[in-house]
């Protein structure tokens, strides 16, 4: 049961918890002669924190880029299950869609190297997270008339709740380029949240942070997951974080899925240990 | 308001979204409005011509700034788009006998469509490569104008009669001032409004980070083409105004020099700022006029130097751009903000 003082739900998915939200099936991505992803299949369940781990160059970010439409895999599909109010489930294959159409379905993401709109304020960045929920009419915008003005105020309310959730009130009006790294990472999470995501993709949300900042970020991700009920799929290198906060873990190595299960299962899987630690030479 | 209230604070989003909050800002707006109203009574006829040119340049510069400063798509095609506006309005007025307001409106729409068409390379090209592609659009448009004799009259100039509306003839600069000032004010207001809304924000998102913009649900293709269309619409308006104001349309007015001048205006004024477009237009149109004036003043005393004035103009033009790029890349708008801050924080430094 979600209970909090916020007025706006941040979870954009109406799928019941426990059902399949995203079905990744046989995704193969090649760059010339290099196979970045080789027949990767797994499922993301509504209401889970689903971690994707693997050594450097394993294809984790490529996988996320396939899901958000930035890369086009040669084979396979990624089926997103969505449900409108009171109706049955519709499925859409993300692999065939353009990035902005995928975002409109509620797949939001953050990037490994912060990709914020540097010259805009925190507020403008978060308002851009509302882009797909706003209507943009040229003449009304030029005249700052009626609907164009009203929607700026309506959507501001949800944005302010996200600002409150992530505790970035003090930097609301600061251009993000002038912010410290930790704040920028938080703003990027906020921008994705403002989209009211059905599925939140986070590419290394804790990269380059110290222990304390990592704890904070982990707390925010748990808040988003537990309080707001958003399904999160994240890439992370810090094993402690992954084992602590995720419900399910998929492991990639050289583009292939080598393990998929609960954190306990994965951490004792011999294939995973081999990928991370190597194996002993047998004489 | 409580007695202890200090500084600027807001009790509603509506009040925060206003463009002006403090008394000083509102006072300045009133002063500017009074200046605009009093301008034609204060200056000599010669300077009123310059003021009218500035007004037209403001419209064109805001258009270019929307594209270059706000959307990050470098364009060297502004001269071409001005030409489309000027020729369309002139031809529709002369050949199709349409009233001037209608011909100007149609010129704006036509330029928007043609601008959107020439914006298509922007979907694949960025930065310098796009600059070269828009340079091509400039040359293609002017080539078409020069060679399509049947429609544009080729290299011959089209001359237009004095503007006449509802029995009133706009004979001199004083009459035209009100038309041009009206359009310049309209351009400033619409430009300012556009970037308070989600639509304008999506332009800036494409400028700052186009991949993230598409991942946040912005259709980058549509946004870029729309930015070209809006920008060209302003250019078309500026072109059409030039045509009817000067009463003569010739391709020589819309060469690459003009494109470069407009780029210089927005760089000197401040990229990504509507106010900067205005400051830049005032500065870059007034400067050559001042130099010319100076040349006339010293004509009798030192005629050799006076003969060199055109060369000096070119040198100063280049020098100003270089100095701005080195010392204040964010332009006059930034300098003005720093001056305001200096006074606001005085006697403290920050």
């Amino acid at each position: 049961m979600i209970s909090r003082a916020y007025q706006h739900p941040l979870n954009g998915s109406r799928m019941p918890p426990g059902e399949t939200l995203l079905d990744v099936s046989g995704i193969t991505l090649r760059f010339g002669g290099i196979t970045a992803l080789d027949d990767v299949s797994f499922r993301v369940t509504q209401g889970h924190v689903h971690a994707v781990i693997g050594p450097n160059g394993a294809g984790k970010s490529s996988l996320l880029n396939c899901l958000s439409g930035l890369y086009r895999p040669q084979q396979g599909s990624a089926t997103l299950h969505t449900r409108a109010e009171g109706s049955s489930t519709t499925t859409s294959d993300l692999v065939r869609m353009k990035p902005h159409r995928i975002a409109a379905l509620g797949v939001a993401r953050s990037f490994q190297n912060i990709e914020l709109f540097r010259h805009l304020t925190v507020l403008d960045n978060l308002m851009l997270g509302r882009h797909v929920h706003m209507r943009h009419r040229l003449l009304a915008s030029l005249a700052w008339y009626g609907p164009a003005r009203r929607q700026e105020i309506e959507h501001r309310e949800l944005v302010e709740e996200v600002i409150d959730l992530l505790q970035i009130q003090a930097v609301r009006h600061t251009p993000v380029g002038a912010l410290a790294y930790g704040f920028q990472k938080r703003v990027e999470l906020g921008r994705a949240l403002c989209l009211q995501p059905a599925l939140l993709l986070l590419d290394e949300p804790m990269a380059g942070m110290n222990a304390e900042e990592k704890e904070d970020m982990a707390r925010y991700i748990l808040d988003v997951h537990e309080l707001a009920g958003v399904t999160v799929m994240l890439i992370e290198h810090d094993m402690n974080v992954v084992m602590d906060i995720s419900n399910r873990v998929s492991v990639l190595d050289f583009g292939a899925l080598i393990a998929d299960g609960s954190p306990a299962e994965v951490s004792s899987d011999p294939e995973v240990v081999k990928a991370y630690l190597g194996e002993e030479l047998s004489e | 308001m409580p007695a202890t209230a200090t500084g600027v604070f807001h009790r509603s989003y509506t009040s925060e979204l206003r463009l002006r909050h403090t008394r000083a800002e509102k006072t300045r707006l009133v002063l500017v409005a009074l200046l605009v109203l009093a301008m034609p009574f204060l200056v000599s006829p010669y300077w009123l011509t310059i003021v009218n040119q500035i007004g037209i340049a403001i419209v064109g510069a805001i258009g270019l700034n929307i594209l270059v400063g706000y959307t990050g798509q470098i364009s060297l095609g502004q001269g071409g788009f001005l030409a489309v506006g000027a020729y369309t309005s002139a031809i529709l007025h002369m050949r199709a006998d349409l009233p001037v307001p209608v011909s100007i409106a149609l010129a704006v729409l036509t330029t928007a469509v043609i601008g959107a068409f020439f914006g298509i390379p922007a979907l694949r090209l960025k930065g310098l490569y796009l600059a070269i592609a828009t340079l091509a659009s400039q040359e293609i448009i002017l080539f078409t104008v020069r060679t399509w004799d049947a429609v544009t009259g080729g290299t011959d100039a089209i001359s237009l009669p004095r503007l006449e509306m509802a029995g009133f003839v706009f004979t001199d600069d004083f009459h035209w001032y009100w038309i041009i000032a009206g359009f310049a004010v309209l351009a400033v207001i619409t430009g300012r409004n556009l970037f308070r809304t989600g639509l304008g924000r999506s332009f800036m998102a494409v400028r700052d980070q186009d991949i993230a913009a598409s991942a946040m649900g912005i259709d980058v293709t549509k946004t870029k083409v729309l930015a070209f269309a809006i920008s060209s619409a302003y250019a078309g308006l500026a072109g059409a105004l030039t045509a009817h104001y000067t009463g003569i349309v010739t391709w020589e007015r819309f060469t690459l020099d003009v494109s470069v001048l407009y780029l210089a205006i927005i760089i000197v004024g401040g990229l990504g700022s509507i106010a900067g477009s205005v400051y830049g237009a005032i500065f870059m149109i007034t400067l050559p006029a001042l130099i010319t004036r100076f040349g006339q003043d010293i004509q009798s005393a030192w005629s050799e130097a006076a003969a060199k004035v055109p060369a000096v103009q070119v040198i100063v033009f280049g020098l100003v751009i270089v100095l701005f790029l080195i010392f204040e890349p964010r332009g006059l708008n930034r300098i003005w903000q720093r001056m305001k801050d200096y006074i606001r924080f005085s006697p403290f430094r920050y």
Side-chain angles (χ1 to χ4, degrees):
Chain A
M1 182 63 206
I2 299 164
S3 90
R4 52 178 193 152
Y6 296 137
Q7 300 294 311
H8 301 275
L10 290 180
N11 179 19
S13 172
R14 290 208 184 80
M15 299 297 292
E19 287 203 19
T20 303
L21 176 66
L22 178 72
D23 191 351
V24 177
S25 168
I27 286 207
T28 302
L29 174 72
R30 289 186 212 93
F31 296 112
I34 298 167
T35 305
L37 290 170
D38 186 9
D39 196 22
V40 174
S41 308
F42 61 89
R43 279 165 184 227
V44 178
T45 310
Q46 172 72 41
H48 273 187
V49 173
H50 191 120
V52 178
I53 61 170
N56 283 325
K60 306 181 293 295
S61 290
S62 297
L63 177 65
L64 238 57
N65 285 344
C66 288
L67 297 182
S68 56
L70 302 179
Y71 290 166
R72 184 139 303 181
Q74 279 80 7
Q75 283 158 35
S77 64
T79 313
L80 184 76
H81 298 253
T82 47
R83 185 171 290 186
E85 189 100 52
S87 73
S88 59
T89 309
T90 42
T91 59
S92 5
D93 187 2
L94 304 183
V95 166
R96 316 263 164 262
M97 295 173 85
K98 297 214 164 198
H100 67 270
R101 298 285 313 134
I102 293 176
L105 283 176
V107 179
R109 69 168 294 174
S110 72
F111 292 85
Q112 184 175 3
N113 307 310
I114 300 166
E115 310 237 353
L116 287 166
F117 309 117
R118 290 183 53 79
H119 298 97
L120 303 187
T121 62
V122 170
L123 196 56
D124 279 338
N125 270 274
L126 297 185
M127 285 296 281
L128 275 159
R130 300 299 301 156
H131 186 87
V132 296
H133 298 284
M134 296 167 90
R135 289 185 58 90
H136 305 281
R137 293 199 192 84
L138 177 60
L139 290 179
S141 298
L142 289 172
W144 185 240
Y145 161 79
R149 194 177 71 187
R150 271 200 306 277
Q151 73 175 357
E152 291 294 314
I153 293 163
E154 280 164 21
H155 291 276
R156 178 75 184 272
E157 285 174 11
L158 183 141
V159 166
E160 286 295 333
E161 290 189 2
V162 171
I163 287 177
D164 188 77
L165 180 75
L166 298 177
Q167 301 176 346
I168 45 178
Q169 295 93 333
V171 295
R172 225 189 242 118
H173 293 293
T174 315
V176 290
L179 289 178
Y181 180 81
F183 268 115
Q184 293 194 2
K185 278 284 194 193
R186 227 186 284 174
V187 174
E188 213 182 13
L189 172 64
R191 185 180 64 180
L193 276 179
C194 285
L195 199 130
Q196 288 179 304
L199 174 62
L200 180 61
L201 308 173
L202 301 175
D203 196 347
E204 301 202 17
M206 293 158 205
M209 290 184 165
N210 64 30
E212 196 179 341
E213 286 171 328
K214 275 183 188 174
E215 278 175 22
D216 284 351
M217 186 52 96
R219 193 66 247 168
Y220 290 125
I221 293 172
L222 285 176
D223 280 353
V224 165
H225 172 238
E226 288 170 1
L227 296 179
V230 176
T231 310
V232 181
M233 184 173 161
L234 76 119
I235 293 177
E236 189 44 60
H237 274 296
D238 189 317
M239 280 308 133
N240 294 328
V241 173
V242 169
M243 296 304 159
D244 281 353
I245 70 173
S246 37
N247 304 100
R248 199 172 175 85
V249 182
S250 300
V251 190
L252 288 175
D253 188 29
F254 292 110
L257 188 75
I258 57 171
D260 183 29
S262 70
E265 287 165 19
V266 164
S267 60
S268 56
D269 188 302
E271 280 288 315
V272 177
V273 176
K274 196 174 95 181
Y276 270 91
L277 301 178
E279 55 188 329
E280 283 185 52
L281 284 172
S282 48
E283 293 298 317
Chain B
M1 191 178 286
T4 52
T6 56
V8 180
F9 64 99
H10 304 282
R11 288 171 175 278
S12 70
Y13 297 138
T14 318
S15 93
E16 196 188 346
L17 283 170
R18 287 194 189 112
L19 291 175
R20 288 176 178 74
H21 306 295
T22 64
R23 187 168 294 170
E25 285 170 327
K26 286 169 190 160
T27 315
R28 275 202 299 271
L29 179 67
V30 172
L31 288 178
V32 169
L34 287 177
L35 184 67
V36 169
L37 290 177
M39 183 64 84
F41 303 104
L42 298 176
V43 298
S44 67
Y46 169 76
W47 281 103
L48 196 56
T49 318
I50 306 290
V51 169
N52 283 344
Q53 286 173 16
I54 291 173
I56 293 174
I58 286 173
V59 177
I62 288 174
L64 190 63
N65 221 337
I66 288 173
L67 186 63
V68 181
Y70 283 102
T71 320
Q73 311 298 308
I74 300 175
S75 168
L76 280 170
Q78 188 76 354
F81 298 135
L82 289 165
V84 174
Y87 272 94
T88 310
S89 188
I91 292 166
L92 287 176
H93 180 54
M94 298 302 288
R95 306 266 173 89
D97 240 0
L98 292 172
V100 172
V102 178
S103 76
I104 290 182
L106 287 175
V108 168
L109 290 177
T110 310
T111 320
V113 171
I114 290 178
F117 172 75
F118 281 108
I120 290 172
L123 307 179
R124 305 295 302 199
L125 303 174
K126 285 181 192 172
L128 286 174
Y129 304 97
L130 179 62
I132 298 300
T134 54
L135 179 62
S137 69
Q138 158 86 29
E139 296 303 330
I140 290 169
I141 291 172
L142 275 206
F143 178 79
T144 311
V145 164
R146 282 199 308 266
T147 49
W148 198 6
D149 288 344
V151 177
T152 63
T155 47
D156 295 336
I158 304 178
S159 50
L160 294 157
R162 292 209 178 282
L163 175 60
E164 193 182 330
M165 270 195 299
F168 185 82
V169 189
F170 290 77
T171 45
D172 57 9
D173 283 314
F174 181 80
H175 295 148
W176 265 98
Y177 174 81
W178 302 107
I179 298 179
I180 292 174
F183 276 115
V185 169
L186 187 71
V188 169
I189 292 173
T190 50
R192 203 74 168 79
N193 281 342
L194 180 62
F195 293 99
R196 299 159 86 184
T197 61
L199 186 64
R201 238 185 343 252
S202 68
F203 288 12
M204 295 187 274
V206 168
R207 169 194 69 192
D208 279 3
Q209 194 55 261
D210 54 352
I211 292 174
S214 68
M216 293 316 296
I218 295 166
D219 186 343
V220 176
T221 306
K222 209 175 97 189
T223 307
K224 282 182 178 175
V225 171
L226 186 62
F228 264 93
I230 294 176
S231 163
S232 308
Y234 281 86
L237 176 60
L241 286 175
T242 316
H244 294 283
Y245 168 58
T246 56
I248 191 155
V249 182
T250 147
W251 67 274
E252 287 158 325
R253 249 178 225 284
F254 307 108
T255 52
L256 183 60
D257 293 5
V258 177
S259 300
V260 175
L261 171 68
Y262 271 95
L263 264 187
I265 286 176
I266 62 171
I267 290 171
V268 166
L271 288 171
S273 145
I274 298 293
S277 319
V278 177
Y279 306 148
I282 294 172
F283 188 83
M284 294 305 283
I285 304 288
T286 313
L287 189 66
L290 279 175
I291 296 173
T292 312
R293 205 55 199 258
F294 178 71
Q296 285 165 358
D297 287 345
I298 61 168
Q299 181 77 47
S300 53
W302 193 13
S303 57
E304 287 167 49
K308 300 273 190 300
V309 162
V312 172
Q313 259 178 10
V314 176
I315 293 171
V316 171
F317 182 83
L319 195 64
V320 164
I321 297 175
V322 171
L323 290 179
F324 265 97
L325 287 178
I326 294 174
F327 292 108
E328 189 46 278
R330 284 186 285 178
L332 289 164
N333 184 48
R334 181 72 196 135
I335 292 176
W336 170 234
Q337 277 172 359
R338 277 215 310 264
M339 280 163 57
K340 280 192 294 193
D341 285 347
Y342 182 82
I343 293 168
R344 198 152 56 94
F345 295 131
S346 175
F348 305 109
R349 295 292 300 281
Y350 50 86

